[in-house]
Amino acid sequence: MGGGDLNLKKSWHPQTLRNIERVWKAEQKHEDERRKIEQLQAELKEEKAREDMRMFAEEQGAVRKKDERLNWMYQGQPEVNRDDYLLGKPIDKAIQDITVGKSQDSDLMDNVPGAIFSQSSVNSAVDMAAKIREDPLFAIKQREQQSKKELLNNPVKMKQLQHMLKATLDKKDKKKKKKDQ
């Protein structure tokens, strides 16, 4: 007749199904976090070992020292001495790639960083037309203008609009008069 343990009905009791589930989820979360930490530590050890091997190889002279500075990002495009180039003297491979098949300075200017943003390009008008044609906001505005034009050309709709406008203006006038009195 007792009906069992009343503590099982309490929210704080450790043997309720909800509390057992909470504990299990917390344990799973903790286990996943522990696995991630172990994985990150293993990756860190591998990276450290690779770095040590590279440093050892650099000290022994087997591998060239790697320049880890960022100065190269701030240097401009290398200049080509045209006289040396025309005389057949060897030049840098990157510069050679730029100058192969090009004879005008304007062609060289198309290869500098940021050249795609310059307005001097021949294709800028074509690009601008494509951007306008494919712009969704522009398409929406065109549709709005077209529907407005159709509405203005339809006399029945115009008459309805005039009646609606007159009715709203009359309501506003009535409200003003009530407010003034």
Side-chain angles (χ1 to χ4, degrees), residues 69-88:
R69 287 177 271 148
L70 300 176
N71 293 341
W72 60 271
M73 285 190 348
Y74 303 108
Q75 295 172 351
Q77 185 130 2
E79 293 290 324
V80 178
N81 188 348
R82 297 209 178 267
D83 294 334
D84 291 344
Y85 176 70
L86 292 173
L87 291 173

PDB file of all heavy atoms in Angstrom, residues 69-88:
ATOM      1  N   ARG A  69      59.744  36.025 -42.375  1.00  0.00           N
ATOM      2  CA  ARG A  69      59.301  37.407 -42.256  1.00  0.00           C
ATOM      3  C   ARG A  69      58.241  37.720 -43.312  1.00  0.00           C
ATOM      4  O   ARG A  69      58.102  37.021 -44.297  1.00  0.00           O
ATOM      5  CB  ARG A  69      60.487  38.349 -42.403  1.00  0.00           C
ATOM      6  CG  ARG A  69      61.382  38.299 -41.156  1.00  0.00           C
ATOM      7  CD  ARG A  69      62.578  39.162 -41.317  1.00  0.00           C
ATOM      8  NE  ARG A  69      63.595  38.305 -41.937  1.00  0.00           N
ATOM      9  CZ  ARG A  69      64.515  38.725 -42.770  1.00  0.00           C
ATOM     10  NH1 ARG A  69      64.581  39.991 -43.103  1.00  0.00           N
ATOM     11  NH2 ARG A  69      65.390  37.894 -43.284  1.00  0.00           N
ATOM     12  N   LEU A  70      57.547  38.806 -43.106  1.00  0.00           N
ATOM     13  CA  LEU A  70      56.462  39.188 -44.005  1.00  0.00           C
ATOM     14  C   LEU A  70      56.830  40.364 -44.903  1.00  0.00           C
ATOM     15  O   LEU A  70      55.955  40.975 -45.502  1.00  0.00           O
ATOM     16  CB  LEU A  70      55.215  39.548 -43.192  1.00  0.00           C
ATOM     17  CG  LEU A  70      54.659  38.435 -42.313  1.00  0.00           C
ATOM     18  CD1 LEU A  70      53.498  38.957 -41.500  1.00  0.00           C
ATOM     19  CD2 LEU A  70      54.238  37.249 -43.139  1.00  0.00           C
ATOM     20  N   ASN A  71      58.107  40.661 -45.010  1.00  0.00           N
ATOM     21  CA  ASN A  71      58.528  41.801 -45.818  1.00  0.00           C
ATOM     22  C   ASN A  71      58.115  41.657 -47.274  1.00  0.00           C
ATOM     23  O   ASN A  71      57.860  42.648 -47.952  1.00  0.00           O
ATOM     24  CB  ASN A  71      60.040  41.994 -45.729  1.00  0.00           C
ATOM     25  CG  ASN A  71      60.468  42.418 -44.350  1.00  0.00           C
ATOM     26  OD1 ASN A  71      59.655  42.896 -43.570  1.00  0.00           O
ATOM     27  ND2 ASN A  71      61.736  42.228 -44.039  1.00  0.00           N
ATOM     28  N   TRP A  72      58.058  40.441 -47.762  1.00  0.00           N
ATOM     29  CA  TRP A  72      57.738  40.216 -49.163  1.00  0.00           C
ATOM     30  C   TRP A  72      56.343  40.752 -49.508  1.00  0.00           C
ATOM     31  O   TRP A  72      56.078  41.133 -50.641  1.00  0.00           O
ATOM     32  CB  TRP A  72      57.816  38.731 -49.505  1.00  0.00           C
ATOM     33  CG  TRP A  72      56.868  37.908 -48.692  1.00  0.00           C
ATOM     34  CD1 TRP A  72      57.097  37.339 -47.486  1.00  0.00           C
ATOM     35  CD2 TRP A  72      55.516  37.582 -49.033  1.00  0.00           C
ATOM     36  NE1 TRP A  72      55.987  36.677 -47.033  1.00  0.00           N
ATOM     37  CE2 TRP A  72      55.001  36.801 -47.965  1.00  0.00           C
ATOM     38  CE3 TRP A  72      54.699  37.870 -50.106  1.00  0.00           C
ATOM     39  CZ2 TRP A  72      53.707  36.314 -47.970  1.00  0.00           C
ATOM     40  CZ3 TRP A  72      53.407  37.377 -50.108  1.00  0.00           C
ATOM     41  CH2 TRP A  72      52.929  36.606 -49.054  1.00  0.00           C
ATOM     42  N   MET A  73      55.444  40.829 -48.516  1.00  0.00           N
ATOM     43  CA  MET A  73      54.094  41.319 -48.801  1.00  0.00           C
ATOM     44  C   MET A  73      54.081  42.815 -49.079  1.00  0.00           C
ATOM     45  O   MET A  73      53.204  43.308 -49.777  1.00  0.00           O
ATOM     46  CB  MET A  73      53.170  41.025 -47.619  1.00  0.00           C
ATOM     47  CG  MET A  73      52.791  39.593 -47.533  1.00  0.00           C
ATOM     48  SD  MET A  73      51.494  39.141 -46.357  1.00  0.00           S
ATOM     49  CE  MET A  73      51.226  40.509 -45.332  1.00  0.00           C
ATOM     50  N   TYR A  74      55.034  43.520 -48.517  1.00  0.00           N
ATOM     51  CA  TYR A  74      55.031  44.969 -48.634  1.00  0.00           C
ATOM     52  C   TYR A  74      55.932  45.487 -49.740  1.00  0.00           C
ATOM     53  O   TYR A  74      56.003  46.679 -49.966  1.00  0.00           O
ATOM     54  CB  TYR A  74      55.434  45.584 -47.286  1.00  0.00           C
ATOM     55  CG  TYR A  74      54.516  45.125 -46.189  1.00  0.00           C
ATOM     56  CD1 TYR A  74      54.944  44.222 -45.232  1.00  0.00           C
ATOM     57  CD2 TYR A  74      53.193  45.564 -46.131  1.00  0.00           C
ATOM     58  CE1 TYR A  74      54.104  43.782 -44.235  1.00  0.00           C
ATOM     59  CE2 TYR A  74      52.341  45.129 -45.148  1.00  0.00           C
ATOM     60  CZ  TYR A  74      52.796  44.239 -44.201  1.00  0.00           C
ATOM     61  OH  TYR A  74      51.949  43.804 -43.218  1.00  0.00           O
ATOM     62  N   GLN A  75      56.612  44.595 -50.422  1.00  0.00           N
ATOM     63  CA  GLN A  75      57.464  45.011 -51.525  1.00  0.00           C
ATOM     64  C   GLN A  75      56.605  45.167 -52.777  1.00  0.00           C
ATOM     65  O   GLN A  75      55.676  44.415 -53.002  1.00  0.00           O
ATOM     66  CB  GLN A  75      58.557  43.974 -51.796  1.00  0.00           C
ATOM     67  CG  GLN A  75      59.531  43.839 -50.656  1.00  0.00           C
ATOM     68  CD  GLN A  75      60.496  42.680 -50.855  1.00  0.00           C
ATOM     69  OE1 GLN A  75      60.320  41.884 -51.765  1.00  0.00           O
ATOM     70  NE2 GLN A  75      61.490  42.609 -50.006  1.00  0.00           N
ATOM     71  N   GLY A  76      56.973  46.144 -53.592  1.00  0.00           N
ATOM     72  CA  GLY A  76      56.241  46.367 -54.830  1.00  0.00           C
ATOM     73  C   GLY A  76      56.638  45.330 -55.874  1.00  0.00           C
ATOM     74  O   GLY A  76      57.454  44.440 -55.635  1.00  0.00           O
ATOM     75  N   GLN A  77      56.049  45.464 -57.032  1.00  0.00           N
ATOM     76  CA  GLN A  77      56.391  44.570 -58.133  1.00  0.00           C
ATOM     77  C   GLN A  77      57.839  44.845 -58.556  1.00  0.00           C
ATOM     78  O   GLN A  77      58.243  45.989 -58.664  1.00  0.00           O
ATOM     79  CB  GLN A  77      55.453  44.811 -59.308  1.00  0.00           C
ATOM     80  CG  GLN A  77      55.681  43.848 -60.431  1.00  0.00           C
ATOM     81  CD  GLN A  77      54.386  43.238 -60.873  1.00  0.00           C
ATOM     82  OE1 GLN A  77      53.354  43.568 -60.355  1.00  0.00           O
ATOM     83  NE2 GLN A  77      54.447  42.345 -61.817  1.00  0.00           N
ATOM     84  N   PRO A  78      58.625  43.807 -58.791  1.00  0.00           N
ATOM     85  CA  PRO A  78      60.020  44.024 -59.164  1.00  0.00           C
ATOM     86  C   PRO A  78      60.129  44.773 -60.490  1.00  0.00           C
ATOM     87  O   PRO A  78      59.348  44.544 -61.415  1.00  0.00           O
ATOM     88  CB  PRO A  78      60.596  42.616 -59.279  1.00  0.00           C
ATOM     89  CG  PRO A  78      59.448  41.694 -59.299  1.00  0.00           C
ATOM     90  CD  PRO A  78      58.273  42.401 -58.724  1.00  0.00           C
ATOM     91  N   GLU A  79      61.070  45.682 -60.534  1.00  0.00           N
ATOM     92  CA  GLU A  79      61.292  46.483 -61.733  1.00  0.00           C
ATOM     93  C   GLU A  79      62.135  45.697 -62.738  1.00  0.00           C
ATOM     94  O   GLU A  79      63.048  44.960 -62.371  1.00  0.00           O
ATOM     95  CB  GLU A  79      62.028  47.775 -61.372  1.00  0.00           C
ATOM     96  CG  GLU A  79      61.200  48.719 -60.538  1.00  0.00           C
ATOM     97  CD  GLU A  79      60.059  49.331 -61.325  1.00  0.00           C
ATOM     98  OE1 GLU A  79      60.240  49.616 -62.524  1.00  0.00           O
ATOM     99  OE2 GLU A  79      58.981  49.514 -60.725  1.00  0.00           O
ATOM    100  N   VAL A  80      61.824  45.862 -63.989  1.00  0.00           N
ATOM    101  CA  VAL A  80      62.583  45.223 -65.060  1.00  0.00           C
ATOM    102  C   VAL A  80      63.463  46.290 -65.711  1.00  0.00           C
ATOM    103  O   VAL A  80      62.972  47.330 -66.141  1.00  0.00           O
ATOM    104  CB  VAL A  80      61.643  44.614 -66.120  1.00  0.00           C
ATOM    105  CG1 VAL A  80      62.432  43.999 -67.249  1.00  0.00           C
ATOM    106  CG2 VAL A  80      60.721  43.609 -65.490  1.00  0.00           C
ATOM    107  N   ASN A  81      64.733  46.030 -65.747  1.00  0.00           N
ATOM    108  CA  ASN A  81      65.629  46.921 -66.469  1.00  0.00           C
ATOM    109  C   ASN A  81      65.502  46.553 -67.943  1.00  0.00           C
ATOM    110  O   ASN A  81      65.970  45.507 -68.385  1.00  0.00           O
ATOM    111  CB  ASN A  81      67.074  46.751 -65.967  1.00  0.00           C
ATOM    112  CG  ASN A  81      67.996  47.784 -66.559  1.00  0.00           C
ATOM    113  OD1 ASN A  81      67.632  48.490 -67.512  1.00  0.00           O
ATOM    114  ND2 ASN A  81      69.192  47.867 -65.996  1.00  0.00           N
ATOM    115  N   ARG A  82      64.842  47.395 -68.699  1.00  0.00           N
ATOM    116  CA  ARG A  82      64.536  47.069 -70.100  1.00  0.00           C
ATOM    117  C   ARG A  82      65.800  46.899 -70.930  1.00  0.00           C
ATOM    118  O   ARG A  82      65.837  46.076 -71.836  1.00  0.00           O
ATOM    119  CB  ARG A  82      63.634  48.145 -70.693  1.00  0.00           C
ATOM    120  CG  ARG A  82      62.290  48.201 -69.978  1.00  0.00           C
ATOM    121  CD  ARG A  82      61.214  48.672 -70.911  1.00  0.00           C
ATOM    122  NE  ARG A  82      59.943  48.673 -70.219  1.00  0.00           N
ATOM    123  CZ  ARG A  82      59.110  47.647 -70.243  1.00  0.00           C
ATOM    124  NH1 ARG A  82      59.412  46.565 -70.886  1.00  0.00           N
ATOM    125  NH2 ARG A  82      57.959  47.716 -69.610  1.00  0.00           N
ATOM    126  N   ASP A  83      66.825  47.665 -70.619  1.00  0.00           N
ATOM    127  CA  ASP A  83      68.075  47.526 -71.383  1.00  0.00           C
ATOM    128  C   ASP A  83      68.669  46.134 -71.185  1.00  0.00           C
ATOM    129  O   ASP A  83      69.073  45.479 -72.151  1.00  0.00           O
ATOM    130  CB  ASP A  83      69.090  48.594 -70.970  1.00  0.00           C
ATOM    131  CG  ASP A  83      68.617  49.994 -71.351  1.00  0.00           C
ATOM    132  OD1 ASP A  83      67.829  50.092 -72.321  1.00  0.00           O
ATOM    133  OD2 ASP A  83      69.036  50.946 -70.683  1.00  0.00           O
ATOM    134  N   ASP A  84      68.701  45.689 -69.917  1.00  0.00           N
ATOM    135  CA  ASP A  84      69.229  44.347 -69.653  1.00  0.00           C
ATOM    136  C   ASP A  84      68.374  43.285 -70.337  1.00  0.00           C
ATOM    137  O   ASP A  84      68.877  42.307 -70.878  1.00  0.00           O
ATOM    138  CB  ASP A  84      69.274  44.076 -68.149  1.00  0.00           C
ATOM    139  CG  ASP A  84      70.323  44.912 -67.442  1.00  0.00           C
ATOM    140  OD1 ASP A  84      71.200  45.464 -68.149  1.00  0.00           O
ATOM    141  OD2 ASP A  84      70.267  45.011 -66.197  1.00  0.00           O
ATOM    142  N   TYR A  85      67.076  43.488 -70.290  1.00  0.00           N
ATOM    143  CA  TYR A  85      66.177  42.513 -70.912  1.00  0.00           C
ATOM    144  C   TYR A  85      66.395  42.456 -72.421  1.00  0.00           C
ATOM    145  O   TYR A  85      66.468  41.373 -73.001  1.00  0.00           O
ATOM    146  CB  TYR A  85      64.722  42.902 -70.595  1.00  0.00           C
ATOM    147  CG  TYR A  85      63.709  42.014 -71.278  1.00  0.00           C
ATOM    148  CD1 TYR A  85      63.538  40.697 -70.880  1.00  0.00           C
ATOM    149  CD2 TYR A  85      62.915  42.498 -72.313  1.00  0.00           C
ATOM    150  CE1 TYR A  85      62.619  39.873 -71.497  1.00  0.00           C
ATOM    151  CE2 TYR A  85      61.994  41.696 -72.928  1.00  0.00           C
ATOM    152  CZ  TYR A  85      61.848  40.378 -72.514  1.00  0.00           C
ATOM    153  OH  TYR A  85      60.930  39.573 -73.136  1.00  0.00           O
ATOM    154  N   LEU A  86      66.518  43.626 -73.037  1.00  0.00           N
ATOM    155  CA  LEU A  86      66.703  43.674 -74.486  1.00  0.00           C
ATOM    156  C   LEU A  86      68.085  43.170 -74.908  1.00  0.00           C
ATOM    157  O   LEU A  86      68.250  42.660 -76.016  1.00  0.00           O
ATOM    158  CB  LEU A  86      66.473  45.085 -75.004  1.00  0.00           C
ATOM    159  CG  LEU A  86      65.016  45.578 -74.898  1.00  0.00           C
ATOM    160  CD1 LEU A  86      64.940  47.049 -75.273  1.00  0.00           C
ATOM    161  CD2 LEU A  86      64.097  44.748 -75.771  1.00  0.00           C
ATOM    162  N   LEU A  87      69.072  43.294 -74.016  1.00  0.00           N
ATOM    163  CA  LEU A  87      70.411  42.798 -74.328  1.00  0.00           C
ATOM    164  C   LEU A  87      70.538  41.293 -74.099  1.00  0.00           C
ATOM    165  O   LEU A  87      71.566  40.704 -74.419  1.00  0.00           O
ATOM    166  CB  LEU A  87      71.460  43.538 -73.494  1.00  0.00           C
ATOM    167  CG  LEU A  87      71.648  45.012 -73.875  1.00  0.00           C
ATOM    168  CD1 LEU A  87      72.572  45.679 -72.876  1.00  0.00           C
ATOM    169  CD2 LEU A  87      72.211  45.136 -75.277  1.00  0.00           C
ATOM    170  N   GLY A  88      69.494  40.685 -73.542  1.00  0.00           N
ATOM    171  CA  GLY A  88      69.510  39.240 -73.375  1.00  0.00           C
ATOM    172  C   GLY A  88      70.096  38.781 -72.058  1.00  0.00           C
ATOM    173  O   GLY A  88      70.345  37.588 -71.877  1.00  0.00           O
TER     174      GLY A  88
END
